[in-house]
Short mmCIF file of all heavy atoms in Angstrom, two decimals:
data_model
loop_
_atom_site.label_atom_id
_atom_site.label_comp_id
_atom_site.label_asym_id
_atom_site.label_seq_id
_atom_site.Cartn_x
_atom_site.Cartn_y
_atom_site.Cartn_z
N ALA A 180 239.45 47.91 43.45
CA ALA A 180 239.64 46.84 44.43
C ALA A 180 238.31 46.22 44.84
O ALA A 180 238.18 44.99 44.95
CB ALA A 180 240.38 47.38 45.65
N ALA A 181 237.31 47.06 45.08
CA ALA A 181 236.00 46.56 45.52
C ALA A 181 235.37 45.67 44.45
O ALA A 181 234.89 44.57 44.74
CB ALA A 181 235.09 47.73 45.85
N PHE A 182 235.37 46.14 43.21
CA PHE A 182 234.79 45.33 42.13
C PHE A 182 235.58 44.05 41.93
O PHE A 182 235.02 42.99 41.63
CB PHE A 182 234.75 46.14 40.83
CG PHE A 182 233.76 47.26 40.83
CD1 PHE A 182 234.12 48.53 40.40
CD2 PHE A 182 232.46 47.06 41.27
CE1 PHE A 182 233.20 49.57 40.40
CE2 PHE A 182 231.53 48.10 41.28
CZ PHE A 182 231.91 49.36 40.84
N SER A 183 236.89 44.12 42.11
CA SER A 183 237.74 42.95 41.93
C SER A 183 237.47 41.89 42.99
O SER A 183 237.27 40.71 42.68
CB SER A 183 239.21 43.37 41.97
OG SER A 183 240.05 42.27 41.74
N TYR A 184 237.43 42.30 44.26
CA TYR A 184 237.21 41.34 45.34
C TYR A 184 235.78 40.79 45.33
O TYR A 184 235.56 39.62 45.65
CB TYR A 184 237.53 41.99 46.68
CG TYR A 184 239.00 41.88 47.07
CD1 TYR A 184 240.00 42.29 46.21
CD2 TYR A 184 239.38 41.37 48.31
CE1 TYR A 184 241.34 42.20 46.55
CE2 TYR A 184 240.72 41.27 48.68
CZ TYR A 184 241.70 41.69 47.79
OH TYR A 184 243.02 41.59 48.14
N LEU A 185 234.82 41.63 44.97
CA LEU A 185 233.45 41.14 44.84
C LEU A 185 233.37 40.10 43.73
O LEU A 185 232.69 39.07 43.86
CB LEU A 185 232.51 42.31 44.53
CG LEU A 185 232.20 43.27 45.69
CD1 LEU A 185 231.54 44.55 45.17
CD2 LEU A 185 231.29 42.60 46.73
N ARG A 186 234.06 40.36 42.65
CA ARG A 186 234.08 39.41 41.53
C ARG A 186 234.75 38.10 41.93
O ARG A 186 234.26 37.02 41.59
CB ARG A 186 234.79 40.04 40.33
CG ARG A 186 235.08 39.06 39.19
CD ARG A 186 235.66 39.76 37.98
NE ARG A 186 236.33 38.82 37.09
CZ ARG A 186 235.70 38.04 36.19
NH1 ARG A 186 234.39 38.09 36.10
NH2 ARG A 186 236.38 37.23 35.41
N HIS A 187 235.86 38.18 42.64
CA HIS A 187 236.57 36.96 43.03
C HIS A 187 235.72 36.09 43.94
O HIS A 187 235.73 34.85 43.82
CB HIS A 187 237.89 37.32 43.71
CG HIS A 187 238.88 37.94 42.79
ND1 HIS A 187 240.01 38.59 43.22
CD2 HIS A 187 238.91 38.00 41.42
CE1 HIS A 187 240.69 39.03 42.18
NE2 HIS A 187 240.04 38.69 41.08
N ALA A 188 234.98 36.73 44.84
CA ALA A 188 234.09 35.97 45.72
C ALA A 188 233.00 35.27 44.91
O ALA A 188 232.68 34.10 45.14
CB ALA A 188 233.46 36.90 46.76
N GLN A 189 232.44 35.99 43.93
CA GLN A 189 231.39 35.41 43.10
C GLN A 189 231.94 34.33 42.17
O GLN A 189 231.29 33.31 41.93
CB GLN A 189 230.70 36.51 42.29
CG GLN A 189 229.56 36.02 41.41
CD GLN A 189 228.43 35.39 42.20
OE1 GLN A 189 228.13 35.83 43.31
NE2 GLN A 189 227.80 34.36 41.64
N LEU A 190 233.14 34.55 41.65
CA LEU A 190 233.75 33.55 40.77
C LEU A 190 233.95 32.22 41.49
O LEU A 190 233.76 31.14 40.90
CB LEU A 190 235.09 34.06 40.23
CG LEU A 190 235.07 35.00 39.03
CD1 LEU A 190 236.49 35.44 38.69
CD2 LEU A 190 234.42 34.35 37.81
N HIS A 191 234.36 32.30 42.75
CA HIS A 191 234.55 31.08 43.53
C HIS A 191 233.21 30.35 43.69
O HIS A 191 233.14 29.12 43.58
CB HIS A 191 235.14 31.43 44.90
CG HIS A 191 235.57 30.24 45.69
ND1 HIS A 191 235.86 30.30 47.04
CD2 HIS A 191 235.73 28.92 45.34
CE1 HIS A 191 236.21 29.10 47.46
NE2 HIS A 191 236.13 28.25 46.46
N TRP A 192 232.15 31.12 43.93
CA TRP A 192 230.82 30.53 44.03
C TRP A 192 230.41 29.92 42.69
O TRP A 192 229.83 28.83 42.64
CB TRP A 192 229.81 31.60 44.46
CG TRP A 192 228.46 31.05 44.82
CD1 TRP A 192 228.03 30.68 46.06
CD2 TRP A 192 227.37 30.81 43.92
NE1 TRP A 192 226.73 30.23 45.99
CE2 TRP A 192 226.30 30.29 44.69
CE3 TRP A 192 227.19 30.97 42.55
CZ2 TRP A 192 225.07 29.94 44.14
CZ3 TRP A 192 225.97 30.62 41.98
CH2 TRP A 192 224.93 30.11 42.77
N ASP A 193 230.71 30.62 41.60
CA ASP A 193 230.40 30.10 40.26
C ASP A 193 231.10 28.77 40.02
O ASP A 193 230.51 27.83 39.46
CB ASP A 193 230.86 31.10 39.19
CG ASP A 193 230.08 32.40 39.23
OD1 ASP A 193 229.04 32.46 39.92
OD2 ASP A 193 230.53 33.37 38.59
N LEU A 194 232.35 28.70 40.43
CA LEU A 194 233.14 27.49 40.21
C LEU A 194 232.52 26.29 40.91
O LEU A 194 232.44 25.19 40.34
CB LEU A 194 234.57 27.70 40.70
CG LEU A 194 235.55 26.54 40.52
CD1 LEU A 194 235.86 26.34 39.04
CD2 LEU A 194 236.84 26.78 41.30
N GLU A 195 232.06 26.51 42.13
CA GLU A 195 231.50 25.41 42.92
C GLU A 195 230.09 25.04 42.49
O GLU A 195 229.69 23.88 42.63
CB GLU A 195 231.49 25.81 44.40
CG GLU A 195 232.87 25.91 45.03
CD GLU A 195 233.56 24.56 45.14
OE1 GLU A 195 232.87 23.57 45.46
OE2 GLU A 195 234.77 24.49 44.89
N ASN A 196 229.33 25.99 41.99
CA ASN A 196 227.91 25.75 41.75
C ASN A 196 227.48 25.74 40.29
O ASN A 196 226.48 25.10 39.95
CB ASN A 196 227.08 26.81 42.49
CG ASN A 196 227.25 26.73 44.00
OD1 ASN A 196 226.58 25.95 44.66
ND2 ASN A 196 228.15 27.54 44.54
N LEU A 197 228.21 26.45 39.44
CA LEU A 197 227.78 26.56 38.04
C LEU A 197 228.78 26.00 37.04
O LEU A 197 228.41 25.62 35.94
CB LEU A 197 227.52 28.04 37.69
CG LEU A 197 226.53 28.81 38.57
CD1 LEU A 197 226.44 30.26 38.11
CD2 LEU A 197 225.15 28.16 38.52
N GLN A 198 230.05 26.04 37.41
CA GLN A 198 231.14 25.66 36.51
C GLN A 198 231.17 26.55 35.25
O GLN A 198 231.60 26.14 34.18
CB GLN A 198 231.06 24.18 36.08
CG GLN A 198 231.37 23.20 37.19
CD GLN A 198 230.19 23.03 38.14
OE1 GLN A 198 229.07 22.77 37.68
NE2 GLN A 198 230.42 23.17 39.43
N LYS A 199 230.69 27.77 35.42
CA LYS A 199 230.74 28.76 34.35
C LYS A 199 230.60 30.15 34.97
O LYS A 199 230.19 30.28 36.13
CB LYS A 199 229.62 28.54 33.33
CG LYS A 199 228.23 28.72 33.91
CD LYS A 199 227.14 28.50 32.86
CE LYS A 199 225.74 28.71 33.46
NZ LYS A 199 224.68 28.51 32.45
N GLN A 200 230.94 31.16 34.21
CA GLN A 200 230.83 32.53 34.72
C GLN A 200 229.38 32.96 34.78
O GLN A 200 228.63 32.84 33.82
CB GLN A 200 231.62 33.50 33.82
CG GLN A 200 231.52 34.95 34.25
CD GLN A 200 232.42 35.88 33.46
OE1 GLN A 200 233.42 36.35 33.96
NE2 GLN A 200 232.06 36.14 32.22
N SER A 201 228.97 33.49 35.93
CA SER A 201 227.60 33.94 36.11
C SER A 201 227.41 35.34 35.53
O SER A 201 228.37 36.04 35.19
CB SER A 201 227.24 33.96 37.60
OG SER A 201 228.05 34.91 38.28
N VAL A 202 226.16 35.75 35.44
CA VAL A 202 225.83 37.10 34.98
C VAL A 202 226.44 38.14 35.91
O VAL A 202 226.95 39.18 35.48
CB VAL A 202 224.30 37.29 34.89
CG1 VAL A 202 223.95 38.72 34.51
CG2 VAL A 202 223.70 36.31 33.89
N LEU A 203 226.42 37.85 37.22
CA LEU A 203 226.97 38.78 38.20
C LEU A 203 228.47 38.93 38.05
O LEU A 203 229.00 40.05 38.08
CB LEU A 203 226.62 38.30 39.62
CG LEU A 203 227.18 39.14 40.77
CD1 LEU A 203 226.78 40.61 40.63
CD2 LEU A 203 226.71 38.58 42.11
N SER A 204 229.18 37.83 37.87
CA SER A 204 230.64 37.91 37.69
C SER A 204 230.99 38.71 36.45
O SER A 204 231.95 39.49 36.45
CB SER A 204 231.23 36.50 37.58
OG SER A 204 231.15 35.82 38.81
N ALA A 205 230.22 38.51 35.39
CA ALA A 205 230.48 39.24 34.15
C ALA A 205 230.26 40.74 34.33
O ALA A 205 231.03 41.56 33.83
CB ALA A 205 229.58 38.71 33.03
N GLU A 206 229.21 41.10 35.08
CA GLU A 206 228.94 42.53 35.31
C GLU A 206 230.03 43.15 36.18
O GLU A 206 230.46 44.28 35.93
CB GLU A 206 227.58 42.72 35.97
CG GLU A 206 227.24 44.18 36.20
CD GLU A 206 225.81 44.41 36.64
OE1 GLU A 206 225.07 43.42 36.82
OE2 GLU A 206 225.43 45.59 36.82
N LEU A 207 230.48 42.43 37.19
CA LEU A 207 231.55 42.95 38.04
C LEU A 207 232.85 43.12 37.26
O LEU A 207 233.64 44.02 37.54
CB LEU A 207 231.77 42.01 39.23
CG LEU A 207 230.65 42.03 40.28
CD1 LEU A 207 230.79 40.87 41.26
CD2 LEU A 207 230.63 43.37 41.03
N LEU A 208 233.06 42.28 36.27
CA LEU A 208 234.23 42.43 35.40
C LEU A 208 234.12 43.71 34.58
O LEU A 208 235.10 44.46 34.45
CB LEU A 208 234.37 41.22 34.48
CG LEU A 208 235.50 41.29 33.44
CD1 LEU A 208 236.86 41.42 34.13
CD2 LEU A 208 235.46 40.07 32.52
N ARG A 209 232.94 43.99 34.05
CA ARG A 209 232.74 45.22 33.28
C ARG A 209 232.97 46.45 34.15
O ARG A 209 233.60 47.43 33.72
CB ARG A 209 231.33 45.26 32.68
CG ARG A 209 231.07 44.23 31.60
CD ARG A 209 229.79 44.53 30.83
NE ARG A 209 228.62 44.57 31.68
CZ ARG A 209 227.89 43.50 32.00
NH1 ARG A 209 228.22 42.31 31.54
NH2 ARG A 209 226.81 43.62 32.76
N LEU A 210 232.46 46.40 35.37
CA LEU A 210 232.63 47.53 36.29
C LEU A 210 234.09 47.71 36.69
O LEU A 210 234.58 48.83 36.80
CB LEU A 210 231.75 47.34 37.52
CG LEU A 210 230.24 47.47 37.29
CD1 LEU A 210 229.46 46.96 38.49
CD2 LEU A 210 229.87 48.91 36.98
N ARG A 211 234.78 46.60 36.91
CA ARG A 211 236.20 46.69 37.26
C ARG A 211 236.99 47.28 36.09
O ARG A 211 237.87 48.12 36.29
CB ARG A 211 236.75 45.32 37.63
CG ARG A 211 238.21 45.37 38.10
CD ARG A 211 238.73 43.99 38.45
NE ARG A 211 238.92 43.15 37.28
CZ ARG A 211 239.29 41.87 37.34
NH1 ARG A 211 239.47 41.29 38.52
NH2 ARG A 211 239.45 41.16 36.24
N ASN A 212 236.70 46.83 34.89
CA ASN A 212 237.39 47.37 33.72
C ASN A 212 237.12 48.86 33.56
O ASN A 212 238.02 49.63 33.17
CB ASN A 212 236.94 46.62 32.46
CG ASN A 212 237.46 45.21 32.41
OD1 ASN A 212 238.39 44.85 33.14
ND2 ASN A 212 236.88 44.38 31.56
N SER A 213 235.90 49.27 33.85
CA SER A 213 235.55 50.69 33.78
C SER A 213 236.36 51.50 34.78
O SER A 213 236.92 52.55 34.45
CB SER A 213 234.05 50.87 34.04
OG SER A 213 233.73 52.24 34.21
N ALA A 214 236.42 51.02 36.02
CA ALA A 214 237.16 51.73 37.06
C ALA A 214 238.66 51.76 36.75
O ALA A 214 239.34 52.76 37.01
CB ALA A 214 236.91 51.08 38.42
N ARG A 215 239.19 50.69 36.18
CA ARG A 215 240.61 50.66 35.81
C ARG A 215 240.89 51.65 34.67
O ARG A 215 241.95 52.29 34.65
CB ARG A 215 241.02 49.25 35.38
CG ARG A 215 241.45 48.35 36.53
CD ARG A 215 241.87 46.98 36.04
NE ARG A 215 243.00 47.04 35.13
CZ ARG A 215 244.28 47.07 35.51
NH1 ARG A 215 244.59 47.06 36.80
NH2 ARG A 215 245.25 47.10 34.63
N LEU A 216 239.96 51.76 33.75
CA LEU A 216 240.12 52.72 32.66
C LEU A 216 240.16 54.14 33.20
O LEU A 216 241.01 54.95 32.80
CB LEU A 216 238.98 52.57 31.65
CG LEU A 216 238.94 53.59 30.51
CD1 LEU A 216 240.20 53.50 29.66
CD2 LEU A 216 237.69 53.40 29.66
N MET A 217 239.25 54.45 34.13
CA MET A 217 239.23 55.79 34.72
C MET A 217 240.49 56.03 35.54
O MET A 217 241.04 57.14 35.54
CB MET A 217 238.00 55.95 35.62
CG MET A 217 236.68 56.02 34.85
SD MET A 217 236.70 57.29 33.57
CE MET A 217 237.23 58.72 34.49
N LEU A 218 240.96 55.02 36.22
CA LEU A 218 242.19 55.14 37.00
C LEU A 218 243.37 55.46 36.08
O LEU A 218 244.21 56.31 36.40
CB LEU A 218 242.44 53.83 37.76
CG LEU A 218 243.61 53.79 38.75
CD1 LEU A 218 243.41 54.79 39.88
CD2 LEU A 218 243.77 52.38 39.32
N CYS A 219 243.41 54.81 34.94
CA CYS A 219 244.47 55.07 33.96
C CYS A 219 244.36 56.49 33.42
O CYS A 219 245.38 57.18 33.25
CB CYS A 219 244.37 54.05 32.82
SG CYS A 219 245.56 54.32 31.48
N ASN A 220 243.14 56.95 33.15
CA ASN A 220 242.95 58.31 32.63
C ASN A 220 243.50 59.36 33.60
O ASN A 220 244.15 60.33 33.20
CB ASN A 220 241.47 58.58 32.37
CG ASN A 220 240.95 57.83 31.17
OD1 ASN A 220 241.71 57.42 30.30
ND2 ASN A 220 239.64 57.64 31.11
N PHE A 221 243.25 59.16 34.89
CA PHE A 221 243.73 60.12 35.89
C PHE A 221 245.24 60.00 36.07
O PHE A 221 245.92 61.00 36.34
CB PHE A 221 243.00 59.92 37.21
CG PHE A 221 241.72 60.69 37.29
CD1 PHE A 221 240.56 60.20 36.70
CD2 PHE A 221 241.67 61.92 37.92
CE1 PHE A 221 239.38 60.92 36.74
CE2 PHE A 221 240.49 62.66 37.97
CZ PHE A 221 239.34 62.15 37.38
N GLU A 222 245.75 58.81 35.93
CA GLU A 222 247.21 58.63 36.02
C GLU A 222 247.91 59.35 34.88
O GLU A 222 248.93 60.03 35.08
CB GLU A 222 247.54 57.14 35.99
CG GLU A 222 249.02 56.84 36.16
CD GLU A 222 249.31 55.35 36.21
OE1 GLU A 222 248.43 54.59 36.68
OE2 GLU A 222 250.41 54.94 35.78
N GLU A 223 247.37 59.23 33.68
CA GLU A 223 247.96 59.90 32.53
C GLU A 223 247.86 61.42 32.66
O GLU A 223 248.80 62.14 32.32
CB GLU A 223 247.26 59.43 31.25
CG GLU A 223 247.60 58.00 30.86
CD GLU A 223 246.89 57.56 29.59
OE1 GLU A 223 245.85 58.17 29.26
OE2 GLU A 223 247.37 56.61 28.94
N ALA A 224 246.72 61.90 33.17
CA ALA A 224 246.55 63.34 33.36
C ALA A 224 247.54 63.87 34.38
O ALA A 224 248.12 64.95 34.21
CB ALA A 224 245.12 63.64 33.80
N PHE A 225 247.75 63.12 35.45
CA PHE A 225 248.69 63.56 36.48
C PHE A 225 250.12 63.58 35.94
O PHE A 225 250.87 64.54 36.17
CB PHE A 225 248.61 62.63 37.69
CG PHE A 225 249.58 62.98 38.79
CD1 PHE A 225 249.26 63.94 39.73
CD2 PHE A 225 250.82 62.36 38.86
CE1 PHE A 225 250.17 64.28 40.73
CE2 PHE A 225 251.73 62.69 39.85
CZ PHE A 225 251.40 63.65 40.79
N ASN A 226 250.51 62.53 35.24
CA ASN A 226 251.87 62.48 34.69
C ASN A 226 252.10 63.59 33.69
O ASN A 226 253.20 64.15 33.60
CB ASN A 226 252.11 61.12 34.04
CG ASN A 226 252.20 59.99 35.06
OD1 ASN A 226 252.51 60.22 36.22
ND2 ASN A 226 251.90 58.78 34.63
N SER A 227 251.06 63.93 32.94
CA SER A 227 251.17 65.03 31.99
C SER A 227 251.33 66.36 32.70
O SER A 227 252.06 67.25 32.25
CB SER A 227 249.93 65.07 31.09
OG SER A 227 249.96 66.17 30.22
#
Side-chain angles (χ1 to χ4, degrees):
F182 290 133
S183 183
Y184 273 52
L185 287 166
R186 170 175 161 80
H187 292 166
Q189 181 61 35
L190 278 177
H191 189 194
W192 190 92
D193 294 348
L194 181 69
E195 291 292 320
N196 296 276
L197 305 178
Q198 290 78 51
K199 64 180 181 180
Q200 178 174 253
S201 64
V202 176
L203 177 55
S204 291
E206 181 171 2
L207 289 168
L208 176 60
R209 292 194 301 273
L210 290 168
R211 184 180 71 185
N212 289 344
S213 170
R215 273 181 61 86
L216 175 62
M217 290 307 308
L218 186 62
C219 176
N220 288 339
F221 273 81
E222 183 176 330
E223 289 180 338
F225 178 85
N226 290 336
S227 176

